[in-house]
Amino acid sequence: MCGIVGYIGNKDTKNILLDGLKKLEYRGYDSSGIAILDSEINIVKEKGKIVNLENKLKLENIQGNIGIGHTRWATHGEPNEINSHPHFSSDKKIAVVHNGIIENYLELKEKLQNKGYKFISDTDTEVVAHLYHSYYTDDMLDALCKVLRDIKGSYALCIMCSEHKDKFIVARKDSPLIIGIGSDENFVASDIPAILEHTKEYYFLDDMEMAIITKDNINIFDRDKNLIKKEVFKVDFDISLAQKNGYDYFMLKEIFEQPLCIKKCINAKILDNDIFFEKFSITNEQIKDINNIHIVACGSAYHAGMVGKHIIEKMCRIPVNLDIASEFRYKNPILNKNDICIIISQSGETADTLAALKLAREKGIKIISIVNVVGSSIARESNDVLYTLAGPEIAVATTKGYSTQLAMLYMIALKFGYIRCNINESTYKDYIKELQSMEKYIKNCLSLEDRIKTIANKYYNIENAFIIGRGLDYSASLEASLKLKEISYIHSEAYAAGELKHGSIALIEDNTVVFGILTQDDLLEKAVSNLKEVKARGARLVIIAKEGYESLRDIADDIVFIPNIKEEFMASLSVIPMQLLSYYVAINRGCDVDMPRNLAKSVTVE
Ligand code: F6R
């Protein structure tokens, strides 16, 4: 959600900014712009895709050795050229890009208007440009410090002044920002892919930190302007992981990366048939004493949490409260001593999830987070982090991120269950063995690609779909439904199969397509009855079933069989055909699979 890029050095600033912005396209945006400082600051911005900005820039001769760029996902004001970033101060001597939300912008705007400042956009960001101008004398850091004292909300800010041709200045709170370390050049960006072609070394800026960046120097300061020393991070993945490598879309590439990602995620924690969470601050005694676990997340990560709840309750007999982060933070949750909180987030930057984490931590609850992006805000704010090691996930719709979250939740359930003596050693080892075969089983599901393509060709023009299942299959249905709707724009609803009769079955008519997920022995009979109920009302049935449920062929219009593994892990397999199906349906409908409309990869606003 919004992307920031900044460059200072001797190379072609315009191209570096444009290229960086393209690498951040996955975050979601609806307009873009750049500012380059030469004898004065030149700003070019445009509504829509970056290619529009690129075309506009071809008509302008803009050059310089320092510049900032931005992709905007509209929050305050429609996505048009005026509201796009960068924003100027009225004298055009200051240019600002911003990711986040200035919550008290109206109050600040009024004060600035009273002082004579004229606003031209509807954005909250323009306040920062004028406010900065109101404080600026000649000291860029001092002015920024004063701005940060006034503004409330979340921000990653990057600011240029025409009087300082050798530096720009940045700050952050609750929105990601990294500083890429080059030689004779330096960078800033919202995320690693934007700088990866130029450098693998970078600093993370923490909340309330600021930095002055020149071509040869990066000076980082705390909120009181004290110079601080920061750890240098090194990108631990290859650039090819952030490229399509011959696939048409990142999403398909990421779907096919899942066997390897799962293997990596599991192997990092399993040694000699045992699960280890190294450097865990929670002791075995504390694990034995846990009263309640709170799982908090958004979207697909929440769906992973639902599977986690099921399995943790089964393996550990610990009650698990599962909450959507945006609900959790406002419901005054009941958090007691001996509770722990599991926070799940691929990006590690989701604003609501981060706020929920902070709330739980303030109440003294230990936080274990399951995060993909190394060093992200959620990872850094947690007591213990379990990295899923899926590598960069570029497609907006998560696939490998979700799958590795499931794997990590299985390992937590198994380890905690074993420590608490709820499962014995042979069961524990048995499940670990099955987990180690997960790579093979997922490959097996991926080999169904051609069969799924045929099904996608048959059903791609439907406008509504229902996806039903019971127990763990219901959790899988929720994720399957989200995948389908977010990338193909087909209206899709997931239901607990037994719940249909309580109202929603009224929507079933001739030819309505119902997807059924059936992988749980003890629920099979009941789920089959539910499928027959919709079939009797004219529905066409597409079934994802585990091998062995051959009799389902009799009621299915189309059926796909997936490997029969331990039932607790079946959600990891049933999701794969649904990811592929969603992908091919979306392709058939001509959708932009990697960047679905209105969506952003990293949801850094509430
Ligand atoms: C859907 C999807 C989203 C995310 C959600 C949370 O495909 O990707 O629903 O799961 O926005 O994001 P993270 O996991 O980054 O906190």
Side-chain angles (χ1 to χ4, degrees):
M1 202 166 252
C2 297
I4 288 178
V5 186
Y7 175 72
I8 182 159
N10 297 324
K11 294 193 188 135
D12 183 340
T13 304
K14 185 169 66 181
N15 280 343
I16 287 179
L17 293 180
L18 273 175
D19 199 54
L21 291 180
K22 282 183 195 162
K23 299 272 165 46
L24 296 179
E25 273 190 300
Y26 73 91
R27 296 172 67 82
Y29 72 104
D30 31 47
S31 60
S32 58
I34 62 171
I36 295 183
L37 171 56
D38 192 11
S39 54
E40 56 185 16
I41 298 175
N42 290 296
I43 290 184
V44 180
K45 36 197 198 176
E46 191 55 285
K47 185 181 162 181
K49 294 280 178 196
I50 292 174
V51 68
N52 301 351
L53 174 69
E54 204 167 6
N55 288 336
K56 197 167 179 182
L57 278 163
K58 283 183 190 150
L59 310 173
E60 319 252 351
N61 183 23
I62 295 179
Q63 281 166 5
N65 295 325
I66 164 170
I68 56 181
H70 190 263
T71 46
R72 170 175 187 252
W73 190 87
T75 56
H76 296 68
E78 62 176 278
N80 59 26
E81 191 188 330
I82 291 180
N83 288 332
S84 313
H85 303 206
H87 286 282
F88 258 143
S89 58
S90 306
D91 61 5
K92 302 201 167 167
K93 288 188 171 166
I94 289 155
V96 177
V97 293
H98 165 225
N99 177 9
I101 287 185
I102 309 298
E103 285 164 7
N104 58 338
Y105 84 104
L106 281 175
E107 175 196 326
L108 293 169
K109 185 171 178 174
E110 202 180 312
K111 278 188 194 158
L112 288 160
Q113 279 170 328
N114 289 340
K115 285 186 188 167
Y117 283 95
K118 299 256 177 304
F119 284 74
I120 57 168
S121 78
D122 303 318
T123 65
D124 51 337
T125 303
E126 197 184 353
V127 158
V128 178
H130 297 309
L131 192 61
Y132 190 88
H133 181 272
S134 75
Y135 286 130
Y136 177 74
T137 47
D138 187 42
D139 185 337
M140 286 183 77
L141 185 66
D142 187 62
L144 182 61
C145 232
K146 287 177 176 147
V147 167
L148 300 193
R149 239 176 272 153
D150 287 0
I151 58 178
K152 293 197 180 100
S154 58
Y155 47 81
L157 285 168
C158 190
I159 301 176
M160 262 182 354
C161 282
S162 60
E163 286 169 9
H164 293 272
K165 298 196 170 32
D166 61 338
K167 58 174 77 93
F168 56 79
I169 190 161
V170 298
R172 79 150 254 173
K173 178 177 167 276
D174 294 337
S175 276
L177 201 68
I178 57 168
I179 304 173
I181 309 165
S183 124
D184 259 356
E185 58 182 0
N186 286 309
F187 307 82
V188 292
S190 301
D191 199 1
I192 291 166
I195 59 161
L196 200 51
E197 230 168 80
H198 311 284
T199 177
K200 285 196 152 195
E201 293 195 332
Y202 62 97
Y203 294 114
F204 275 112
L205 216 55
D206 278 300
D207 275 355
M208 303 307 291
E209 287 176 355
M210 304 170 280
I212 297 177
I213 299 161
T214 67
K215 168 165 93 60
D216 314 300
N217 255 313
I218 297 166
N219 286 321
I220 303 180
F221 303 88
D222 66 13
R223 66 178 75 197
D224 300 316
K225 295 194 278 179
N226 300 309
L227 196 61
I228 50 176
K229 211 170 154 40
K230 300 274 294 182
E231 182 187 352
V232 174
F233 283 80
K234 240 189 152 102
V235 179
D236 62 351
F237 56 82
D238 192 77
I239 191 163
S240 66
L241 272 175
Q243 292 168 341
K244 284 190 199 152
N245 292 347
Y247 283 92
D248 287 340
Y249 286 92
F250 277 108
M251 182 172 176
L252 193 61
K253 175 180 169 251
E254 287 160 9
I255 289 174
F256 276 89
E257 276 172 5
Q258 288 177 108
L260 200 65
C261 296
I262 291 288
K263 182 177 163 187
K264 234 176 127 184
C265 175
I266 290 170
N267 283 356
K269 299 285 176 258
I270 296 179
L271 186 71
D272 294 336
N273 272 332
D274 200 353
I275 296 167
F276 294 96
F277 299 128
E278 37 177 288
K279 296 192 199 141
F280 231 39
S281 70
I282 299 183
T283 62
N284 285 1
E285 285 319 303
Q286 284 171 324
I287 290 171
K288 283 182 189 157
D289 286 345
I290 293 173
N291 284 337
N292 281 289
I293 294 180
H294 306 268
I295 299 183
V296 186
C298 299
S300 294
Y302 170 81
H303 297 155
M306 195 181 260
V307 174
K309 168 182 163 71
H310 202 99
I311 295 174
I312 292 171
E313 286 184 341
K314 180 165 182 182
M315 302 267 181
C316 311
R317 302 308 296 163
I318 303 173
V320 178
N321 304 315
L322 172 70
D323 272 298
I324 293 170
S326 54
E327 294 294 321
F328 179 85
R329 53 184 296 204
Y330 296 112
K331 74 171 199 183
N332 193 8
I334 302 169
L335 302 167
N336 293 314
K337 191 169 161 266
N338 295 346
D339 288 1
I340 64 157
C341 192
I342 300 180
I343 296 280
I344 311 172
S345 175
Q346 187 284 128
S347 63
E349 299 293 348
T350 303
D352 281 316
T353 313
L354 181 60
L357 178 161
K358 287 182 178 170
L359 179 111
R361 218 190 43 192
E362 271 161 26
K363 303 224 167 175
I365 303 297
K366 279 232 180 218
I367 312 286
I368 300 173
S369 64
I370 298 177
V371 173
N372 190 36
V373 177
V374 176
S376 55
S377 303
I378 289 176
R380 280 178 296 153
E381 298 275 349
S382 306
N383 299 90
D384 294 303
V385 195
L386 299 172
Y387 284 118
T388 51
L389 308 180
E393 193 176 59
I394 310 283
V396 164
T398 183
T399 51
K400 61 178 183 171
Y402 168 81
S403 289
T404 48
Q405 286 163 357
L406 288 187
M408 198 57 84
L409 285 158
Y410 299 155
M411 291 192 280
I412 292 177
L414 285 173
K415 184 74 185 186
F416 284 20
Y418 182 52
I419 291 173
R420 290 168 66 99
C421 304
N422 273 95
I423 51 172
N424 62 30
E425 184 164 355
S426 90
T427 311
Y428 178 59
K429 306 265 171 197
D430 234 34
Y431 276 89
I432 290 178
K433 204 160 159 231
E434 186 85 313
L435 265 187
Q436 288 175 309
S437 302
M438 196 61 95
E439 177 200 7
K440 179 180 78 191
Y441 298 133
I442 291 182
K443 271 190 187 153
N444 203 312
C445 293
L446 290 169
S447 71
L448 296 165
E449 187 183 14
D450 285 341
R451 169 90 188 100
I452 308 268
K453 250 192 228 177
T454 313
I455 297 178
N457 291 344
K458 186 167 164 190
Y459 294 100
Y460 76 92
N461 56 5
I462 61 175
E463 285 314 318
N464 293 293
F466 295 89
I467 308 188
I468 63 173
R470 283 174 173 252
L472 277 171
D473 292 334
Y474 170 50
S475 310
S477 300
L478 283 166
E479 176 56 11
S481 173
L482 182 60
K483 285 286 93 66
L484 186 64
K485 79 178 96 177
E486 69 183 332
I487 62 168
S488 74
Y489 315 141
I490 290 174
H491 170 244
S492 156
E493 298 288 344
Y495 288 103
E499 185 63 14
L500 271 183
K501 279 198 285 289
H502 299 282
S504 312
I505 201 164
L507 296 168
I508 305 292
E509 52 186 3
D510 269 354
N511 290 324
T512 305
V513 174
V514 177
F515 294 89
I517 300 182
L518 293 95
T519 69
Q520 307 290 308
D521 288 349
D522 55 345
L523 299 169
L524 180 65
E525 221 175 280
K526 304 280 177 207
V528 170
S529 301
N530 300 138
L531 288 178
K532 286 184 176 163
E533 285 157 9
V534 293
K535 178 116 185 143
R537 284 158 183 84
R540 288 185 284 170
L541 292 184
V542 183
I543 296 180
I544 311 291
K546 75 176 177 188
E547 280 161 1
Y549 290 173
E550 292 299 322
S551 62
L552 291 177
R553 285 186 196 278
D554 297 343
I555 55 166
D557 289 75
D558 288 282
I559 189 159
V560 173
F561 288 106
I562 53 177
N564 181 354
I565 62 169
K566 287 199 184 299
E567 289 191 351
E568 292 80 359
F569 301 156
M570 282 306 299
S572 289
L573 303 194
S574 58
V575 75
I576 308 284
M578 291 309 292
Q579 291 171 345
L580 285 169
L581 188 95
S582 306
Y583 174 82
Y584 282 111
V585 163
I587 293 289
N588 276 339
R589 291 165 74 93
C591 301
D592 184 347
V593 172
D594 282 345
M595 280 177 280
R597 68 183 179 212
N598 305 337
L599 294 182
K601 181 69 184 163
S602 179
V603 185
T604 50
V605 297
E606 291 185 33

